[in-house]
Amino acid sequence: MKLLTANRATKLLYNFLKVNNITGKVLLPANICPEVVKTLHYAGMTTQFVDLQVETLCIHQEVVLTAAKDASMLLFVHTYGIEHDFYSFFDQVREQNPDIIIVDDKCLCLPDLEVKDSAADLVLYSTGERKLVSLGGGAIGYLADQWEYDEVEVEESELLSNELWLLDPKQLYMKMDTIIAHKEKINAIYRAMLPEAMQLPDAYQHWRFNILVQNKQQILDAFAAEGLEAESRYALLDESCVVASNLHAYVIHLYNDKCFTLEQACRACEIINALLSDRTAEEE
């Protein structure tokens, strides 16, 4: 596979689509980053949102297998950076449509600099701000050998830019070790101090530490009052997608990156537990 770099993963995707004259419908999960959708539309693609699968929190596989026959592309997103190999599913998709293009969006996963092969046509990683490994910008891609790739000039905007970005493997590897060590320390605090029932499985906890709570907005408001940050991504793009809607209604992404200290993680847990106790007392 060819190693590609760009200033953003959306630019890698856009270049790939335009250079290869790819058109048609894209199947993608309903909880995807809105900027990816804007990029697809800007490139001339149409989009069909698919709900998530409860078992994986990724795009619903049975729905995709049914819809793949009429699609040009599947954009598979590793929700919250889940580290899992979905190649067998990709093979099933190609059985339904041998010509379908598969993009494996691993922008929230740990970047890999040694991808030799993939069941996908294009694999995307991001090293942008607040990603798992942040270099302040940039993206890495791996493209199957049968595809062409080149830079496509665009009108400068917040969505796409012509700025070039060169990969520095040494810098990336140095940052990865430090970042992973820091995340493990903060995640250990969250695991120890928060109720296990609200925690997502460990496979989802690398990019952020993700919890499911009934009082999401109350917790986010309490964090803001104390100057603590947290997120809940992304605003739903298709209200008919029930699983994605329910997930977004309850999920909070607790920070575990370099911008968040061990002390802040402890305080975040104290706030969550205090509000949980208040809620339990009210119900009693």
Side-chain angles (χ1 to χ4, degrees):
M1 301 189 83
K2 308 167 189 174
L3 173 63
L4 315 173
T5 62
N7 57 358
R8 297 188 66 182
T10 50
K11 188 59 163 57
L12 280 175
L13 178 61
Y14 181 82
N15 290 344
F16 166 66
L17 294 173
K18 299 305 288 185
V19 167
N20 293 284
N21 298 310
I22 297 169
T23 59
K25 182 172 67 177
V26 184
L27 304 176
L28 67 172
N31 65 336
I32 195 167
C33 170
E35 292 190 354
V36 176
V37 180
K38 292 177 183 177
T39 300
L40 292 168
H41 290 167
Y42 188 66
M45 308 290 288
T46 60
T47 50
Q48 177 181 334
F49 296 111
V50 178
D51 204 356
L52 307 183
Q53 192 162 324
V54 172
E55 294 82 1
T56 64
L57 300 183
C58 296
I59 197 168
H60 199 292
Q61 296 185 12
E62 292 302 321
V63 176
V64 169
L65 292 175
T66 301
K69 297 173 185 177
D70 301 319
S72 298
M73 191 171 94
L74 165 65
L75 201 157
F76 187 95
V77 178
H78 290 246
T79 297
Y80 309 148
I82 179 175
E83 294 289 351
H84 185 76
D85 182 341
F86 291 93
Y87 288 175
S88 61
F89 168 57
F90 295 169
D91 290 339
Q92 293 176 43
V93 173
R94 292 197 194 280
E95 289 176 5
Q96 300 300 316
N97 182 352
D99 297 323
I100 198 167
I101 297 162
I102 298 178
V103 177
D104 196 9
D105 183 340
K106 306 183 78 172
C107 286
L108 296 184
C109 298
L110 189 69
D112 187 347
L113 290 178
E114 298 179 354
V115 174
K116 300 292 192 299
D117 192 22
S118 172
D121 296 279
L122 175 64
V123 183
L124 297 174
Y125 293 98
S126 176
T127 53
E129 287 294 338
R130 308 314 286 259
K131 295 299 192 292
L132 199 158
V133 176
S134 174
L135 298 180
I140 302 164
Y142 292 92
L143 184 63
D145 292 333
Q146 70 266 28
W147 295 103
E148 299 296 321
Y149 185 85
D150 203 351
E151 284 291 330
V152 178
E153 189 166 341
V154 296
E155 183 178 345
E156 293 282 343
S157 67
E158 292 184 3
L159 180 66
L160 294 170
S161 168
N162 297 307
E163 178 187 0
L164 297 179
W165 186 82
L166 299 177
L167 173 68
D168 183 346
K170 183 177 180 181
Q171 182 189 16
L172 182 56
Y173 277 126
M174 288 176 60
K175 283 218 169 191
M176 281 170 60
D177 291 341
T178 303
I179 288 170
I180 292 171
H182 183 72
K183 283 179 176 289
E184 288 177 349
K185 290 178 182 178
I186 289 190
N187 281 0
I189 292 172
Y190 291 143
R191 288 193 189 95
M193 294 186 65
L194 294 175
E196 185 176 352
M198 70 170 55
Q199 302 175 26
L200 288 188
D202 284 347
Y204 298 90
Q205 306 291 38
H206 303 295
W207 164 66
R208 297 282 183 269
F209 195 90
N210 303 288
I211 59 173
L212 299 177
V213 294
Q214 297 283 339
N215 56 335
K216 179 177 87 168
Q217 195 56 52
Q218 184 186 27
I219 291 173
L220 292 176
D221 291 343
F223 278 13
E226 294 212 14
L228 296 176
E229 290 186 271
E231 294 179 309
S232 184
R233 297 186 180 186
Y234 285 103
L236 201 63
L237 297 172
D238 187 338
E239 296 294 338
S240 68
C241 295
V242 177
V243 177
S245 179
N246 288 338
L247 178 62
H248 181 64
Y250 300 117
V251 72
I252 294 179
H253 314 306
L254 300 175
Y255 280 129
N256 57 8
D257 62 10
K258 62 181 181 180
C259 299
F260 216 67
T261 67
L262 304 185
E263 292 75 19
Q264 286 176 313
C266 289
R267 182 56 188 147
C269 293
E270 291 170 353
I271 292 172
I272 293 169
N273 288 330
L275 293 174
L276 181 62
S277 297
D278 291 345
R279 185 180 179 88
T280 303
E282 289 175 3
E283 293 175 350
E284 293 175 350

